[in-house]
Amino acid sequence: MTISTTIRRGGRRRGRGDAAASSLAQPAWQHVTNPYQPMALFSREELDQIDATSMRILEELGIELMSPRACDVLERAGAEVDRSTQTVRMDRGLVAELVAKAPTEFTLTPRDPGRAVRIGGNSVVTTLVAGPPAVHDRINGRRASNLADYRNFIRLTQSFNAIHMIGNQVAAPIELAANNRHLDCYLANLTLSDRSYHCTSIGRGRALDGIEMMAISRGMTAEEMIGDPAVTTIISVNSPRRFDDAMADGLMAMAEYGQSVCVTPFTLMGAMTPVTLPAALAQQNAEALFGIALVQAVRPGCPVIYGAFTSNVDMKSGAPAFGTPENAKANIASGQLARRYGLPYRATPSNASNAADAQAVWETMMSLWGCVLGGCNLLYHSAGWLEGGLCASYEKLVMDVEMLEMMFAFLEPTKVDEASLGFDAIARVPTGGHFFGDPHTMARYQTAFHAPMLSNWQNHEAWVAAGAEDATTRATGLWQKALAEYEEPAMDPAIREALDAYVARRKEEIGAGEP
Amino acid sequence: MTISTTIRRGGRRRGRGDAAASSLAQPAWQHVTNPYQPMALFSREELDQIDATSMRILEELGIELMSPRACDVLERAGAEVDRSTQTVRMDRGLVAELVAKAPTEFTLTPRDPGRAVRIGGNSVVTTLVAGPPAVHDRINGRRASNLADYRNFIRLTQSFNAIHMIGNQVAAPIELAANNRHLDCYLANLTLSDRSYHCTSIGRGRALDGIEMMAISRGMTAEEMIGDPAVTTIISVNSPRRFDDAMADGLMAMAEYGQSVCVTPFTLMGAMTPVTLPAALAQQNAEALFGIALVQAVRPGCPVIYGAFTSNVDMKSGAPAFGTPENAKANIASGQLARRYGLPYRATPSNASNAADAQAVWETMMSLWGCVLGGCNLLYHSAGWLEGGLCASYEKLVMDVEMLEMMFAFLEPTKVDEASLGFDAIARVPTGGHFFGDPHTMARYQTAFHAPMLSNWQNHEAWVAAGAEDATTRATGLWQKALAEYEEPAMDPAIREALDAYVARRKEEIGAGEP
């Protein structure tokens, strides 16, 4: 019996034990880069046509910019502002001039410089899911977002090396006052993790608090962080063609302090854009470039990110759909557009499933591959997203970490040289034999392949004997283990005191609001 | 409230109803092509190094060919045969000369010419899973493969347009005599479906029966199918470097009748090859080209397929692993090698999960994307594979159909022109408005996006009210519905009679064997 027959028919005897299958053993924190040529969905000429349509949108139709201050900034920069409708029109020369001031890459440095992230070029950075109003896990069920879950999700981020940054309010603590809960979130981000995070940009105050608190944690002032950024924000355009007041003000606050701004039109084809992908991309492109131009008008050279979130609705029901084939295409094409303007690129692996199940995975994988093939730099919402972003899921977070680590392994370059071509090993092993004990194998086997955390490779009998748990059930074991083993990163007590004092002072200034 | 807010926060009200969610409505049967440039994992120089190592394997080490008849064929063609060890060595000139005789593309035409498949170029063809000794569904549990399940899987293949061909014995009817059960399988293939199929090539007789029966169904003789092929086979090399007697004889029988032969080394890195990917590919390449050269030596111009199945084992346990990052890389690089020799390319989307769960999907998606990016022509085993190929799963089959249809939608080219750029529609819709009722939307919405069969896009409340079924559970409903609605394709009674007579005659000739 050959080794191949042994393995195929019954040889999976030494299946990983139960303990190993739920191990948190994971690759070290790493700066991930994408070594492959990005995929081209469109030809150069097709991109020219999309770009030309974007420029017509900005020149002929304009963008409604609901912040008078922001209108002033762009008027001074040379845009034409219709004050009666708050419509801003920019010609393509001005757009190009302003966008060209943006850096192609930048680094965000949080309190632990070892957790700095590089955004742009061929780097790949991930974040925790942002914004869901609900939370779910298999033990406690579905519930409204709250501070206890918020803190747990930050602990899980800290526990898993595949999550590089914290997004905007993973599980907004809605039991707290709406006007100051962002302070509790920033405090959790800074004390329970050492990662960079997202500043809430609904208005100027929330953004500045995020900047100030990050500065305190770094032992710097907010002014000293200009030119040495640490945080980011997402400006979600109200597509079609509208920037609201609060978002524009948040954007300007971030730009004044030289912190990074990602401008992301949320464009579901059929609802916020036409049903056709080229039209959706032309509109997304116009809106994203408009916001980026505004950032550059506030502070030339301020770090920005070209954000894309083009998916589609179900035209039978109007329901939003994520991780569709059309979304995968948009993720690839948006990368072509971002690179056209030399901008770092953000997109999102997403899904519309109501459960952390097989659908959640095929939709996530569809959009994740679109992101990676599109040369995406910032995979926003890449851990924990469920229900089209309306629910943060503990199990899905673990499953996403598994998929991200697989993708990181795929992105490791493969070295071709005499040693890896292994002719001598092939010559040593007889026909029909096996390579298990060969010196070439023995010298490399411990690191030769990616070792997953959650995938179970036991044979069927061993899997049944161990309880026949499916992947979602095993994920429950892993997040529980991660929380049980979690260790808070050390922080200088003086910094901790200063953060607490900042939060107390700001809560007093803001006053007690309604939950 | 803008439309984006409506949709994000509560607007998923018109979620698809239960009936629609379990609809068999699916895209029509189609000839799928891949419009994108295949991905390059390796540079030209790196491929040269891999190829050079393959040639050293064939020149210096040779292949053990356990069929004396096949050794004769290659010796006549110019190979050096060591009869004492049945080792065949070929120099690179001879390999190149023989491989160059293979066609770059070909068509397999089954009894319904409308189900003909083109293999090669940028075509994408799928098959039902082949070979599992076990079967599973959520209603009846796990059981040994048998004829009733075999026939059900063929009915499901016929029901789902995403499955283009039947692989080798999806669920071998082990209750029947081992020496003649292939006849019952071929009869099921031909009467319950109109697809092309795989001929079992364990020895000459089984292969010839498959060819003869397909010829009867087409109203032709086996000789008339030379030059007009209808069926294929997989020759699984016993890696490292061994072709067994039965497989070599099956290969030659297929080649004598001009039917297509796919040569696939089954090479799990760390077991059947060294642990390094370049070495595994060099060995795979040597073995595949050797088999293809043998086919061409038997019949120059015979259709062949370059088969790749390089994955890895878990080095902690020795367990085979599928759908790993290393497998995805191998699927991409193997396409580069197949195209180097101008050969059609076969690979496999696979997984090692014990359940039709989230793991089954992330592993399948990892390898499926590898196949597609690698420019794979024949996605063998692409529907129903579970447990590393040891189990055919009814639910996984439905989930695979869902993923394949998503991938086919991704492979549809995106037209960029004035209509799809939609400037006028964008101009018509006010800022913050929506495109639902716009004429540009109304003219296109019915076909604008891929409509999935299994994905559920209801909002959470509607999904709970409908029973909160996860994707795997919904898949059970879909295969049951497919079997309930199945219609046997019409067949000329005279042909049916001839097929029955052939099976009866051959069973008598072969004699009754043991199950």
Side-chain angles (χ1 to χ4, degrees):
Chain A
M1 191 179 251
T2 64
I3 183 68
S4 70
T5 316
T6 309
I7 285 188
R8 287 281 295 173
R9 292 296 153 193
R12 293 162 69 182
R13 290 186 200 103
R14 287 176 293 160
R16 168 180 297 200
D18 210 17
S22 65
S23 164
L24 279 187
Q26 57 182 318
W29 167 282
Q30 55 180 320
H31 292 281
V32 180
T33 54
N34 184 339
Y36 308 118
Q37 185 73 24
M39 187 168 171
L41 195 89
F42 291 124
S43 68
R44 177 76 205 199
E45 294 67 35
E46 290 169 330
L47 291 174
D48 287 346
Q49 290 176 270
I50 292 168
D51 177 70
T53 305
S54 301
M55 294 305 140
R56 282 191 71 192
I57 293 169
L58 292 174
E59 289 175 344
E60 299 175 32
L61 309 180
I63 301 290
E64 184 185 2
L65 181 57
M66 299 172 79
S67 160
R69 280 183 63 224
C71 285
D72 293 346
V73 167
L74 284 176
E75 196 169 46
R76 280 198 299 275
E80 177 196 319
V81 179
D82 178 340
R83 296 281 169 175
S84 69
T85 59
Q86 297 182 296
T87 299
V88 181
R89 292 184 177 82
M90 302 173 76
D91 70 39
R92 60 195 70 196
L94 179 59
V95 176
E97 182 195 321
L98 288 170
V99 169
K101 296 181 196 293
T104 55
E105 296 187 49
F106 59 88
T107 297
L108 298 179
T109 307
R111 69 164 168 119
D112 179 350
R115 295 292 184 254
V117 290
R118 184 97 189 133
I119 296 181
N122 69 350
S123 73
V124 178
V125 172
T126 65
T127 83
L128 184 62
V129 64
V135 171
H136 181 271
D137 72 76
R138 284 183 56 259
I139 307 295
N140 306 296
R142 195 173 187 271
R143 55 208 180 259
S145 58
N146 63 83
L147 188 62
D149 283 310
Y150 187 100
R151 292 169 58 87
N152 274 342
F153 277 109
I154 303 305
R155 291 185 181 103
L156 290 175
T157 299
Q158 181 69 10
S159 301
F160 289 115
N161 294 329
I163 314 177
H164 299 144
M165 283 181 66
I166 299 165
N168 184 41
Q169 298 207 349
V170 52
I174 60 168
E175 75 277 28
L176 305 182
N179 63 356
N180 68 32
R181 65 171 71 126
H182 62 282
L183 296 163
D184 299 279
C185 295
Y186 294 144
L187 190 66
N189 296 352
L190 285 168
T191 56
L192 301 177
S193 94
D194 50 22
R195 310 294 208 255
S196 173
Y197 61 76
H198 176 121
C199 293
T200 301
S201 288
I202 304 173
R204 185 174 174 79
R206 290 182 175 88
L208 291 182
D209 284 333
I211 296 169
E212 290 282 359
M213 289 177 69
M214 177 57 88
I216 292 169
S217 81
R218 295 178 71 189
M220 300 167 77
T221 65
E223 288 72 19
E224 285 169 347
M225 289 208 311
I226 300 174
D228 183 6
V231 288
T232 194
T233 196
I234 307 281
I235 299 299
S236 293
V237 184
N238 287 333
S239 304
R241 297 188 293 115
R242 176 185 281 168
F243 281 69
D244 75 24
D245 196 18
M247 281 293 196
D249 283 351
L251 175 156
M252 289 194 294
M254 293 288 285
E256 283 165 30
Y257 284 88
Q259 300 305 305
S260 66
V261 176
C262 175
V263 182
T264 308
F266 179 51
T267 39
L268 296 182
M269 292 182 276
M272 300 81 139
T273 75
V275 288
T276 45
L277 182 60
L281 291 171
Q283 184 188 314
Q284 165 196 290
N285 195 48
E287 294 170 351
L289 294 179
F290 181 88
I292 286 166
L294 174 56
V295 174
Q296 298 306 317
V298 175
R299 175 178 292 280
C302 184
V304 288
I305 306 168
Y306 181 106
F309 205 142
T310 291
S311 190
N312 57 287
V313 295
D314 177 0
M315 292 310 293
K316 291 189 205 70
S317 66
F322 299 96
T324 62
E326 294 78 14
N327 174 231
K329 286 184 179 184
N331 288 347
I332 293 167
S334 297
Q336 293 186 275
L337 289 166
R339 285 186 295 281
R340 184 183 176 101
Y341 312 109
L343 296 169
Y345 166 43
R346 167 257 160 127
T348 286
S350 57
N351 73 92
S353 184
N354 284 293
D357 65 352
Q359 176 188 337
V361 172
W362 69 63
E363 291 181 341
T364 298
M365 271 293 199
M366 201 75 194
S367 50
L368 175 60
W369 272 98
C371 292
V372 169
L373 296 172
C376 182
N377 302 119
L378 181 63
L379 292 166
Y380 200 78
H381 296 293
S382 45
W385 165 297
L386 204 62
E387 291 184 29
L390 299 178
C391 186
S393 159
Y394 282 71
E395 280 81 19
K396 181 63 169 27
L397 181 146
V398 175
M399 289 157 54
D400 284 332
V401 165
E402 179 83 354
M403 289 186 266
L404 291 172
E405 290 288 6
M406 285 174 77
M407 194 56 86
F408 295 169
F410 173 75
L411 294 177
E412 277 170 24
T414 307
K415 197 171 176 185
V416 180
D417 57 14
E418 203 178 317
S420 68
L421 285 163
F423 179 80
D424 293 345
I426 295 170
R428 270 194 300 269
V429 173
T431 60
H434 66 79
F435 290 78
F436 282 120
D438 189 84
H440 185 272
T441 308
M442 296 309 285
R444 293 167 178 82
Y445 80 96
Q446 284 177 309
T447 57
F449 310 125
H450 173 63
M453 274 196 298
L454 188 54
S455 279
N456 180 301
W457 293 340
Q458 291 179 302
N459 67 24
H460 182 76
E461 292 70 23
W463 177 75
V464 168
E469 292 185 339
D470 69 12
T472 307
T473 308
R474 296 196 304 273
T476 306
L478 268 185
W479 67 254
Q480 288 177 312
K481 191 176 170 78
L483 288 181
E485 294 179 1
Y486 167 79
E487 285 179 36
E488 197 170 303
M491 176 175 263
D492 178 338
I495 286 178
R496 176 62 200 243
E497 245 174 72
L499 285 172
D500 287 338
Y502 183 91
V503 169
R505 175 171 67 79
R506 285 290 292 145
K507 283 195 175 176
E508 199 156 330
E509 285 170 13
I510 294 169
E514 304 281 309
Chain B
M1 190 179 250
T2 63
I3 184 70
S4 71
T5 318
T6 310
I7 286 187
R8 287 280 297 171
R9 293 295 152 193
R12 294 162 68 182
R13 289 185 201 103
R14 288 176 291 160
R16 169 180 295 199
D18 210 16
S22 64
S23 164
L24 280 187
Q26 58 182 320
W29 167 281
Q30 55 181 321
H31 293 281
V32 181
T33 54
N34 184 339
Y36 309 118
Q37 185 73 24
M39 187 169 174
L41 195 90
F42 291 122
S43 68
R44 178 77 204 200
E45 294 68 35
E46 289 169 330
L47 291 174
D48 286 347
Q49 289 177 271
I50 292 168
D51 177 70
T53 306
S54 301
M55 294 306 139
R56 280 191 71 193
I57 293 169
L58 292 175
E59 290 174 344
E60 300 175 31
L61 309 180
I63 302 288
E64 183 184 3
L65 182 57
M66 298 171 79
S67 158
R69 280 185 61 225
C71 286
D72 293 346
V73 168
L74 284 176
E75 195 169 48
R76 279 197 301 274
E80 178 196 318
V81 179
D82 177 341
R83 296 282 169 174
S84 68
T85 59
Q86 297 180 299
T87 300
V88 180
R89 292 183 178 81
M90 301 173 75
D91 70 42
R92 61 196 69 197
L94 180 59
V95 175
E97 180 194 321
L98 288 171
V99 169
K101 296 180 197 290
T104 56
E105 297 187 50
F106 59 89
T107 298
L108 298 180
T109 307
R111 69 167 168 115
D112 179 351
R115 295 292 183 255
V117 290
R118 184 96 188 135
I119 296 182
N122 68 350
S123 73
V124 179
V125 172
T126 65
T127 83
L128 184 62
V129 65
V135 171
H136 180 269
D137 72 76
R138 283 184 56 259
I139 308 295
N140 305 297
R142 193 173 188 272
R143 53 207 179 261
S145 59
N146 62 83
L147 187 61
D149 283 309
Y150 186 100
R151 292 170 57 89
N152 274 343
F153 277 109
I154 303 305
R155 292 185 182 102
L156 291 174
T157 297
Q158 181 70 9
S159 300
F160 290 114
N161 293 330
I163 313 177
H164 300 145
M165 284 179 65
I166 298 165
N168 184 40
Q169 299 208 350
V170 53
I174 59 169
E175 75 275 29
L176 305 182
N179 63 356
N180 68 33
R181 64 171 73 127
H182 63 281
L183 295 163
D184 300 279
C185 295
Y186 294 143
L187 190 65
N189 296 352
L190 285 168
T191 57
L192 301 176
S193 95
D194 51 23
R195 311 294 208 255
S196 173
Y197 61 77
H198 176 121
C199 293
T200 301
S201 288
I202 304 173
R204 185 174 175 81
R206 291 181 176 88
L208 290 181
D209 284 332
I211 297 169
E212 290 281 0
M213 289 177 71
M214 175 59 87
I216 291 168
S217 80
R218 295 178 71 189
M220 300 167 74
T221 64
E223 288 71 20
E224 285 169 345
M225 289 210 309
I226 299 174
D228 182 6
V231 288
T232 195
T233 197
I234 307 280
I235 299 299
S236 293
V237 183
N238 288 334
S239 304
R241 297 188 294 116
R242 175 185 283 167
F243 281 68
D244 75 23
D245 195 19
M247 282 291 195
D249 282 350
L251 175 155
M252 289 193 293
M254 293 288 285
E256 282 165 31
Y257 284 88
Q259 302 304 306
S260 67
V261 175
C262 175
V263 182
T264 307
F266 180 51
T267 39
L268 296 181
M269 292 181 275
M272 299 82 140
T273 76
V275 288
T276 46
L277 181 59
L281 292 170
Q283 184 188 313
Q284 166 197 289
N285 195 48
E287 293 170 351
L289 294 180
F290 181 88
I292 286 166
L294 173 57
V295 174
Q296 298 306 317
V298 175
R299 176 177 291 279
C302 184
V304 288
I305 306 169
Y306 181 106
F309 206 141
T310 291
S311 191
N312 56 286
V313 296
D314 176 1
M315 291 311 293
K316 290 189 205 67
S317 66
F322 299 96
T324 62
E326 294 77 13
N327 175 231
K329 286 184 179 185
N331 288 347
I332 293 168
S334 296
Q336 293 187 275
L337 289 166
R339 285 186 296 281
R340 183 183 176 101
Y341 312 108
L343 296 169
Y345 167 43
R346 166 258 159 126
T348 286
S350 57
N351 73 90
S353 184
N354 283 293
D357 65 353
Q359 175 188 336
V361 173
W362 69 63
E363 291 181 341
T364 298
M365 271 293 200
M366 200 77 194
S367 51
L368 175 60
W369 273 98
C371 292
V372 170
L373 295 172
C376 182
N377 301 117
L378 181 62
L379 292 165
Y380 200 79
H381 296 292
S382 45
W385 166 295
L386 204 63
E387 292 183 25
L390 299 179
C391 184
S393 159
Y394 282 71
E395 280 80 20
K396 181 62 170 25
L397 181 145
V398 176
M399 290 158 54
D400 284 332
V401 165
E402 179 82 354
M403 290 187 265
L404 290 172
E405 289 288 5
M406 286 175 77
M407 194 56 85
F408 295 170
F410 173 76
L411 295 177
E412 277 170 23
T414 307
K415 198 172 175 184
V416 180
D417 57 14
E418 205 178 315
S420 68
L421 285 163
F423 179 80
D424 294 344
I426 295 170
R428 271 193 300 270
V429 173
T431 59
H434 67 78
F435 290 78
F436 281 121
D438 190 83
H440 186 272
T441 309
M442 296 307 287
R444 294 169 176 81
Y445 80 95
Q446 285 177 308
T447 56
F449 310 125
H450 174 63
M453 274 196 297
L454 188 54
S455 279
N456 180 300
W457 294 339
Q458 291 178 301
N459 66 25
H460 182 77
E461 293 70 22
W463 176 73
V464 168
E469 291 185 339
D470 70 12
T472 307
T473 308
R474 296 196 302 276
T476 306
L478 269 185
W479 67 253
Q480 288 177 312
K481 192 176 171 75
L483 288 181
E485 294 178 0
Y486 166 80
E487 285 179 35
E488 196 170 302
M491 177 175 261
D492 178 338
I495 286 177
R496 176 63 202 243
E497 244 173 71
L499 285 172
D500 288 338
Y502 183 91
V503 170
R505 175 172 65 79
R506 286 288 293 145
K507 283 194 176 178
E508 200 156 330
E509 285 172 10
I510 293 170
E514 302 282 311

